[in-house]
Amino acid sequence: MLAPVAHAIAGRIPFDALLIGRGHRTCEGLVHIDDILHLQGLPASFVAEYDAVARHDSVAQFFLDCPWEPQAVSTADYAPAEPDAASLSPAGRRASADLSRAIVHDYLVRHGIRHFMLAGLESSYGLAWATLYRLTDDTPFSSAECERAKFELPGPLHRWQEAHLPRTVSQDHAGLTPLTRRELDVCLRNVRGQAPKTIAADLHLSVHYIREIIQNARRKLGIAGRKMTLQDLARRQEGG
């Protein structure tokens, strides 16, 4: 039944290994893997060892924030940064980030992974995804390959969900987030700790415009007198 998922991408995007899984969001904001539906090209130990890495996996977090956007990553991206003066100062968040990168880096290197791309969806049946890995080819996944995966993988994954799973989330379209794609992107960055100035620089927009987007989103979501949270955005997306 999962053959169409693999076939949807095989021959279109070169890869050496493939993992197809399904899961759900935890109350801690992490991905919980319910089932590994298909694994090829990697040993079972790759999955067994993931629990120890999950909390440090920023790519999985990005997937939760924007399930519709493929994530293309190189193992080299996780390589520990060279020590510098900043690392000697009491910067707890920087040290924690470096430790997380090192843990994920070692895990990927241990299994011979050079590059990988995660693509999937979140529907009324939960989360489903396919991760493509390059073990022998040192060519990163390109933006064109990410776009291909974005439009070709969700269909077969969703059809598998429909055939095998009960719905877990109401499909009341009146409850869908009222935010535009731009508003959701900016708000996700903001609630995860990015200041308007940083968001503006990343998106090449003015700080004034970013603040207007955030304020407009707060009005749409009915948030007043407190900070916007990831739960506010997730609740609206789930129809709450």
Side-chain angles (χ1 to χ4, degrees), residues 25 27 34 75 104-106 116 129-130 146 151 156 164 171 177 184 186 198 217 237 239:
R25 297 169 181 262
C27 59
D34 295 325
T75 296
V104 177
H105 178 265
D106 291 349
F116 67 95
W129 62 87
C146 285
F151 291 102
H164 292 85
Q171 282 195 316
T177 175
L184 185 57
V186 168
T198 303
Q237 286 177 293

Side-chain angles (χ1 to χ4, degrees), residues 77-94:
D77 295 337
Y78 288 101
E82 292 294 326
D84 56 26
S87 67
L88 302 178
S89 63
R93 284 184 295 180
R94 166 69 181 274

